[in-house]
Amino acid sequence: MIVAFEGVPGAGKTSTAQLLAAELDAACVIESTHNHPFLESVYRDDARHDLQVELAFLLLHASAWRAIDPAALTVTDFTPDKDMLFARDTLTDPTDMDLFTRAYDRLHDGTVPPDIVIYLQATPELALARVRHRYEHDHHRRFEQTLELERLKRIERQY
């Protein structure tokens, strides 16, 4: 069984997934951002490498998702749907979106969806405050410091 958490950045997905996995003695799969090759351009609204950013996240997430044993109890802080949601927000070029969609479909062909998805709702204002606060304790998330309230509002609408 796969239990997945979703929500805007700063909603508490990772913390909640880790707590639940520990309580249930389950495997825990956490989104890995430190391996992302284009991390610095993730949340900037200036010149970015949108397609490369979204494809890199897709590859990281799909690889982690394919490694999940659907017969084991696993808790995650993301779902495959997250990649499509962020791509719809970020990729404005239809050719880029088409390429992303084809890659997404190919990489997730044959994978199982989560059995349970829990959406952690947090206002964009609260989520932004949490993102700013966690940077003080985790400098690996430096890229999130450029996250803007409007982007969180767009992501929330996508969900």
Side-chain angles (χ1 to χ4, degrees), residues 4-72:
F5 287 93
E6 274 295 357
V8 298
K13 300 176 298 292
T14 302
S15 298
T16 307
Q18 291 171 328
L19 289 169
L20 181 62
E23 184 68 27
L24 298 176
D25 196 28
C28 189
V29 177
I30 300 300
E31 176 184 27
S32 173
T33 56
H34 66 279
N35 294 327
H36 196 294
F38 302 101
L39 201 52
E40 292 301 320
S41 66
V42 170
Y43 290 118
R44 287 195 315 250
D45 279 332
D46 57 346
R48 299 185 308 207
H49 308 286
D50 292 337
L51 180 60
Q52 295 93 320
V53 166
E54 296 306 327
L55 287 172
F57 268 125
L58 175 61
L59 290 170
L60 289 170
H61 293 155
S63 177
W65 197 265
R66 293 177 81 75
I68 294 174
D69 176 1

Side-chain angles (χ1 to χ4, degrees), residues 79-98:
T79 68
D81 293 336
K82 177 180 187 171
D83 292 311
M84 189 59 75
L85 182 143
F86 273 72
R88 285 188 190 120
D89 178 61
T90 305
L91 301 177
T92 57
D93 182 315
T95 303
D96 288 352
M97 190 62 202
D98 179 62

